[in-house]
Amino acid sequence: MKKKIYSHFMLVVSLAILLTMVFSSLLFYRIFREQMYGDIRGYGQLILQSERNAHMDWELYDSSGEYFRLTVVDRDGTVLYDNEVDASSMENHSDREEIISAWETGEGQAVRRSDTLNRSTYYVALRLDDDTVIRVGRDGSSILGLYLHVLPIVFLVGALCWVICLLLASVLTRSILQPMQTLADNLDKPQTVPAYEELQPFLETIQKQHMDLLESAQMRQEFTANVSHELKTPLTVISGYAELVASGMAQNGDARHFAREIHENAGRLLTLINDILELSKLDSTSPGMELEYVDLYPVAQACVDMLKMNAQKQKVTLQLEGESAVVPGNREMLEELVYNLCDNAIRYNKENGSVLIQVKNRVDTVVLSVKDTGIGIPKEHQSRVFERFYRVDKSRSRDTGGTGLGLAIVKHIVSLHGAALELESEEGEGSLITVTFMKAPS
């Protein structure tokens, strides 16, 4: 990238120097030409003032001894006098642009270039009172000759400018890339990055992406560690009891106990794997997934029917209130969301407790709420209960068969549906979780 910026910068500088040299030469030639015309016009005016001298010497020299050519042209274009060539041998000059302009406006000027001598002759023609025209000419450098004459100086100045710009390009390229290089070396310490204002949004974006990558990597690392830990416990129990049974150490009563433990831990292991697979599926789902119109009330009713037996075992009462409420969503995910909320409310409830599920319509939204009379969540834990594998009471979670992934799945589904999630809880008093969806258009 540094080489590319540097080469582009030098290309622009080289073009700028070249164009400056060309336009400077053109400007210098224009000034030179106007000066030539001014000098010639001055001598022409001198001749006009002296034209009453019928026998004057037409050959004039300026103060520096430079030669001027004088031509006198009659009103019909016939050359009456020329101080270089025999006038009688010269062709008619009525078609010369400076002569025509002098007849029309009183003054004309022109320049004609000699390709062989690489020089030009500058002419100024002035009209006399009798329509006779005197033309004064003077040889001077052509634009090419003038350019070749000043080329060494122009080249020297251009080369000097190019060297200076070469050094500036190196300094500027380094200064442009230095903040990014510093950022690359200090991505974890953005406050140490010396960035100028124009580059700050770019640097902030890079830093944010880096922090997101670090956070994602850390989450994956923690998730892998948590999965390994969670899988290890039931597998250890299953392996231990299976070994006792296989060794013949289990008697009749013990065998039933061991079999029950193996069955419970296998179920726990299966639930954990299913939750991990569900999270993996949700992670790979884009927010722009296809949605259908889903009525939340029948979804909640089906969930209540499914969990009714489990609630009875836990001595918890399930109750559903509300009305038909349609939201845009994925039916399978919404069923998973309602199931996890209700299952969580049953697991962490008290004996003879209750769970109230409500589905209500608002003006532009649909509200799903699950309220329980369970153990509640302490204030210091409420901001983290939706994290993966986070448990307020680890021993109780394992006793109830919880995986620590239920609320994480809920949060992910809520996010994919663009809904809002709220938690209200008091320790020992129960919890209320509310999900607010956008209502489907009627």
Side-chain angles (χ1 to χ4, degrees), residues 410-430:
V410 167
K411 182 180 179 181
H412 214 323
I413 294 174
V414 168
S415 176
L416 288 172
H417 283 77
L421 179 64
E422 295 181 22
L423 168 65
E424 299 177 22
S425 183
E426 289 290 337
E427 189 174 5
E429 298 295 329

Side-chain angles (χ1 to χ4, degrees), residues 56-72:
M56 70 172 291
D57 186 2
W58 292 104
E59 295 186 6
L60 299 175
Y61 294 84
D62 67 1
S63 57
S64 63
E66 292 185 73
Y67 181 72
F68 284 85
R69 181 180 180 183
L70 176 63
T71 306
V72 181

Side-chain angles (χ1 to χ4, degrees), residues 170-186:
S170 178
V171 173
L172 289 176
T173 302
R174 192 181 304 113
S175 66
I176 289 172
L177 297 179
Q178 185 60 42
M180 286 184 281
Q181 182 61 48
T182 306
L183 178 64
D185 298 334
N186 300 274

